[in-house]
Amino acid sequence: MADDPQRNFRSAYYEKVGFRGVEEKKSLEILLKDNPLDLEKLSTFSQRFPLPSMYRIHVWKVLLVSDCHIPAGILPPHSDSHSLVGGYRKEQYQDIVEALEVMRYINSSTPSTHTYLRMFQLESQVLPRCSETLPPNDENEDFLAISRAMEEIVDDSIDCYWLIKCFINQFHIKFGDSLPHLPKSLEHYLSQEEPRLLNHLRSIGALPQLPYSLWFNRCFAGCLPESSLQRVWDKVISGSCKILVFVALEILLSYKIILMGNTRPEGVIKFLCNIPQENTDAIVTKAIDLWQKYCGNPNHAV
């Protein structure tokens, strides 16, 4: 969004009187009228501002790549094709479900998240032999956790499956090489913000046992309630996995008194895997502030 003194004055005024985001909502509506949609500008908007809930799923479907070989979203940039492509997505969803039913991998009593898993496995060509099929286990828990969270955010089962599939695929394609380095990145920023806490976690042996899989592999699915989680996923979907580091950092900072008072690593881990749910919106807001402090805002004009 180009810097504009008049716009900045209006934004400050709207925030002061309790209408935070009014200008941003108008700006997003203007972007969504473009045909074709400018994906770079939509990504930049999502990085800089929270997405209004009424547009969130639509923007996610445009930004999430549906196939690593075809750089287009679940919905294409050309808005006049959305209805047609949406119909194709629905047909493909129904075809996959029917195939799994015929092969007896799923039935009417199969939990929806397990159905999504089998669909994903079939499309990824890793579906186990029917004779070897077992209930989903710990190996599938990252997928299932993200699926359960997405179900709470998205009402339509067809949209839900496509968003789960493309979120997971895009995350691993874009950020798979970065994931192993996120714990060290967290240590670095914690040393900048609260070195005493870092030394404490290191001294009691809790540092290597922090719930990195819950935080980074699952993108906080199962840790944060969906109202807070979707604000984090806005940033991940639009191109930043670094936001995950700062959410983890802010969780540690927010509960440092409790963590400093705990001398057993298992106590620290148990608490961090079950953090109180009533303060998570504030945690995410502070995490985004820290992320912008260290990483800055995108420079592209929206």
Side-chain angles (χ1 to χ4, degrees), residues 97-143:
V97 169
E98 289 174 8
L100 288 169
E101 289 173 342
V102 169
M103 292 187 291
R104 298 185 180 180
Y105 279 90
I106 62 172
N107 55 51
S108 59
S109 62
T110 302
S112 55
T113 53
H114 294 189
T115 296
Y116 299 145
L117 174 62
R118 298 306 181 205
M119 294 174 70
F120 183 80
Q121 289 174 332
L122 177 59
E123 288 206 284
S124 305
Q125 300 181 5
V126 294
L127 189 68
R129 292 177 181 271
C130 201
S131 59
E132 299 171 357
T133 302
L134 297 171
N137 54 31
D138 291 344
E139 292 181 7
N140 308 123
E141 190 50 42
D142 291 349
F143 182 97

Side-chain angles (χ1 to χ4, degrees), residues 20-234:
R20 184 180 182 185
V22 169
E23 284 289 283
E24 284 71 25
K25 180 172 176 287
K26 289 181 179 178
S27 298
L28 179 59
E29 288 172 345
I30 291 170
L31 290 179
L32 292 174
K33 289 178 182 177
D34 288 345
N35 191 15
L37 297 169
D38 189 318
L39 302 187
E40 183 178 7
K41 287 183 178 180
L42 282 175
S43 293
T44 301
F45 182 96
S46 301
Q47 293 277 293
R48 295 184 64 181
F49 309 110
L51 288 172
S53 57
M54 65 187 297
Y55 296 121
R56 173 171 281 117
I57 302 307
H58 183 70
V59 173
W60 284 7
K61 287 198 289 185
V62 171
L63 293 181
L64 281 172
V65 175
S66 63
D67 188 318
C68 61
H69 303 295
I70 305 172
I74 300 170
L75 292 178
H78 291 84
S79 302
D80 47 8
S81 300
H82 285 182
S83 179
L84 179 64
V85 173
Y88 291 152
R89 300 293 184 209
K90 180 178 180 180
E91 289 177 9
Q92 187 175 351
Y93 174 93
Q94 292 170 338
D95 288 344
I96 299 168
V97 169
E98 289 174 8
L100 288 169
E101 289 173 342
V102 169
M103 292 187 291
R104 298 185 180 180
Y105 279 90
I106 62 172
N107 55 51
S108 59
S109 62
T110 302
S112 55
T113 53
H114 294 189
T115 296
Y116 299 145
L117 174 62
R118 298 306 181 205
M119 294 174 70
F120 183 80
Q121 289 174 332
L122 177 59
E123 288 206 284
S124 305
Q125 300 181 5
V126 294
L127 189 68
R129 292 177 181 271
C130 201
S131 59
E132 299 171 357
T133 302
L134 297 171
N137 54 31
D138 291 344
E139 292 181 7
N140 308 123
E141 190 50 42
D142 291 349
F143 182 97
L144 294 174
I146 290 171
S147 297
R148 287 190 290 267
M150 194 69 81
E151 271 200 319
E152 294 297 319
I153 298 170
V154 186
D155 294 328
D156 182 82
S157 59
I158 298 171
D159 283 347
C160 189
Y161 170 67
W162 280 104
L163 287 165
I164 293 165
K165 172 194 171 183
C166 297
F167 179 82
I168 290 173
N169 279 342
Q170 179 166 297
F171 184 76
H172 287 287
I173 291 166
K174 280 190 173 183
F175 308 126
D177 292 340
S178 301
L179 279 178
H181 305 291
L182 296 187
K184 279 296 180 185
S185 186
L186 174 60
E187 289 182 41
H188 168 72
Y189 291 115
L190 185 57
S191 73
Q192 302 296 305
E193 292 290 322
E194 192 56 65
R196 288 178 60 246
L197 177 56
L198 174 62
N199 291 334
H200 172 72
L201 294 174
R202 186 178 283 139
S203 68
I204 67 172
L207 197 60
Q209 300 181 47
L210 295 181
Y212 297 123
S213 178
L214 174 64
W215 291 346
F216 302 148
N217 293 33
R218 300 178 193 174
C219 302
F220 290 93
C223 176
L224 299 176
E226 285 66 34
S227 59
S228 303
L229 183 66
Q230 57 194 2
R231 295 171 57 207
V232 178
W233 285 7
D234 285 346

